[in-house]
Amino acid sequence: MEFDLILKNATLPDGQTGMDIACANGRIMAVERGINAPAKEVLEAAGQLVSPPFIDPHFHMDATLSLGTPRMNVSGTLLEGIALWSELKPVQTTEQIIARALRYCDLAVSMGIGAIRSHVDICDDELKGVEALLDVRAQVSPYLDLQLVAFPQDGIFRDPTAQQNLLRALDMGVDVVGGIPHFERTMADGTASVKYLCKIAAARGLMVDMHCDESDDPMSRHVETLAQETTRLGLEGRVAGSHLTSMHSMDNYYVSKLIPLMAEAELHVIPNPLINIMLQARHDSYPKRRGQTRVPELRAAGINIGFGSDCVMDPWYSMGKADMLDVAHMGLHVGQLSSRADMGWCFDAVTKNSAKIMGLEGYGLQKGDKADMVLIQAVDPIEAIRLRPARLAVIRAGKVISRCQPVISELSLKGRPAQINPADFAPKPAEGR
Ligand code: FE2
């Protein structure tokens, strides 16, 4: 048979080298050495790393690329960001949201992202964001899987019409139930919001992903209720807690009880390292807290963790370029994940762990998986995080949809230009630390 694509001589994330990957009809047909068969395109990987695509499990596509409109966030806090977003919401149009989102999707695809879970604010009686992102989800589907979360940014109980708007959004085709218990008026309302929203998800057979305890307050403990409701309603494996930054500040004894409850509920956890290190601890003097949830301890309990990017150039975050390797790099540093095993895990946190959170079918590099992958100018996942290098090719359904030239520096050595490949400087350490 003639394949659509054969990728030759690739290194896989698990360390296998010299592997060929043959693709046809949108699927991986074979992963082995020495495939010699006709193909519409043969792509030489030259020993570079091939991975399933990057997955971003937490983003806000209705706000992205809006930086500076109508003004900048001066305090740098989450709360000023929410206030600023409330100024932009009534004056932006559906067409503007679509245009910004499509620009971002182009960038994301070029950086090797294959799927994004985006929250969409439903605290707008016109539901402009929902309308816009449903349109974008359909437009980008040949290139990118977009999963939408109905997100009551101003609080499902605090906003007077959020309850009906959330149901309208789900009826329109939004995929996942969101929430923000720490932003409700009281702790009691926050607890009630978790119960209310989980009940809706259970009744409709949907997944849940809540902004939960995105706070420096160690008494913000809504994740406890989220775990309890997940278990009570039989939603195990379908519920994610995003941020969970208050866990950074909680008492150790309380956390020693909490983490087993989260594991029992099979909660997924989504830290957002770039935004968490930027927004948290703004009320601290010194010492200043890091504000990232307890990644090593959650991981040790067997809890699935995926890193999200959250924001790019919007009211909350002025930086970002759709690079999940930037996200992994920051998560690695803030979590002090410096052993070889820990650094390699950080790559999983922006690939397969996040695919599990989103429930993506056919994700991976096994025979029968979707023929979606990214060729990276690095020799292994750790080097990919260290260099955050060029995405040489992005492949979707067995076709190359984005290409990039390798980054090559030129140095004049003794008057003679020399090509320097950053990968040549990679150490080859022994296994272990
Ligand atoms: Fe978020």
Side-chain angles (χ1 to χ4, degrees), residues 58-60 78 119 151 153 180 209-211 214 242-243 272 275-276 309-311 314 316:
H58 188 115
F59 193 63
H60 293 264
L78 170 71
H119 296 253
F151 175 46
Q153 172 75 75
I180 186 165
D209 187 340
M210 288 196 198
H211 286 65
E214 189 181 2
S242 282
H243 295 292
N272 295 283
I275 198 87
N276 292 157
S309 68
D310 205 2
C311 300
D314 69 8
W316 295 273

Side-chain angles (χ1 to χ4, degrees), residues 147-309:
Q147 190 179 73
L148 300 177
V149 185
F151 175 46
Q153 172 75 75
D154 299 330
I156 194 73
F157 295 144
R158 195 168 170 177
D159 181 271
T161 52
Q163 293 173 58
Q164 64 201 57
N165 287 345
L166 183 120
L167 296 177
R168 283 171 59 206
L170 295 176
D171 288 343
M172 289 165 71
V174 170
D175 307 283
V176 181
V177 177
I180 186 165
H182 57 278
F183 194 69
E184 302 292 349
R185 287 191 176 90
T186 64
M187 288 290 183
D189 274 3
T191 302
S193 80
V194 173
K195 292 180 178 178
Y196 174 84
L197 292 161
C198 285
K199 190 175 172 186
I200 291 173
R204 290 180 175 238
L206 299 176
M207 293 187 284
V208 175
D209 187 340
M210 288 196 198
H211 286 65
C212 194
D213 304 326
E214 189 181 2
S215 163
D216 297 320
D217 176 4
M219 299 310 291
S220 185
R221 296 177 170 185
H222 298 296
V223 65
E224 179 186 82
T225 308
L226 187 64
Q228 163 65 7
E229 288 305 290
T230 299
T231 306
R232 190 177 72 80
L233 295 167
L235 296 173
E236 291 94 339
R238 287 162 45 191
V239 177
S242 282
H243 295 292
L244 306 184
T245 54
S246 74
M247 285 187 73
H248 184 96
S249 299
M250 285 175 184
D251 172 74
N252 286 339
Y253 185 85
Y254 174 71
V255 171
S256 74
K257 180 195 171 197
L258 175 64
I259 289 181
L261 293 178
M262 295 168 66
E264 179 187 29
E266 299 172 36
L267 281 191
H268 304 284
V269 170
I270 308 174
N272 295 283
L274 294 168
I275 198 87
N276 292 157
I277 199 68
M278 183 66 90
L279 292 186
Q280 298 312 126
R282 289 278 177 159
H283 296 77
D284 288 6
S285 55
Y286 292 95
K288 198 180 265 287
R289 287 167 288 179
R290 294 178 182 220
Q292 181 163 283
T293 196
R294 301 191 186 203
V295 171
E297 293 79 8
L298 291 163
R299 199 178 138 216
I303 291 171
N304 184 48
I305 303 171
F307 287 150
S309 68

Side-chain angles (χ1 to χ4, degrees), residues 16-38:
Q16 293 185 78
T17 58
M19 303 303 291
D20 297 347
I21 303 175
C23 310
N25 303 318
R27 294 277 167 174
I28 294 173
M29 307 303 283
V31 183
E32 53 196 57
R33 293 187 177 87
I35 298 176
N36 291 303

Side-chain angles (χ1 to χ4, degrees), residues 62 90 104 195 210 236 245 278 281 331 340 343 350 357-358:
D62 50 355
Y104 183 80
K195 292 180 178 178
M210 288 196 198
E236 291 94 339
T245 54
M278 183 66 90
R340 295 279 299 169
M343 291 191 289
V350 292
I357 291 172
M358 290 182 63

Side-chain angles (χ1 to χ4, degrees), residues 22-156:
C23 310
N25 303 318
R27 294 277 167 174
I28 294 173
M29 307 303 283
V31 183
E32 53 196 57
R33 293 187 177 87
I35 298 176
N36 291 303
K40 293 190 180 78
E41 177 166 6
V42 175
L43 187 62
E44 175 57 50
Q48 307 281 23
L49 175 67
V50 68
S51 167
F54 294 110
I55 307 296
D56 187 352
H58 188 115
F59 193 63
H60 293 264
M61 201 170 282
D62 50 355
T64 194
L65 306 184
S66 67
L67 182 69
T69 51
R71 60 182 177 82
M72 299 293 286
N73 183 336
V74 178
S75 67
T77 60
L78 170 71
L79 295 182
E80 184 175 346
I82 293 173
L84 211 167
W85 173 237
S86 292
E87 295 173 31
L88 177 58
K89 263 195 289 187
V91 297
Q92 66 180 352
T93 66
T94 303
E95 291 70 29
Q96 287 168 336
I97 301 170
I98 291 172
R100 292 198 314 255
L102 289 175
R103 276 180 63 208
Y104 183 80
C105 288
D106 280 346
L107 177 61
V109 167
S110 75
M111 298 302 283
I113 294 178
I116 298 175
R117 172 180 280 182
S118 175
H119 296 253
V120 52
D121 188 358
I122 54 85
C123 293
D124 160 28
D125 290 344
E126 295 179 73
L127 292 180
K128 285 182 286 193
V130 173
E131 188 184 338
L133 293 194
L134 287 170
D135 183 286
V136 170
R137 185 177 71 180
Q139 285 199 55
V140 302
S141 63
Y143 313 102
L144 181 69
D145 295 317
L146 185 55
Q147 190 179 73
L148 300 177
V149 185
F151 175 46
Q153 172 75 75
D154 299 330
I156 194 73

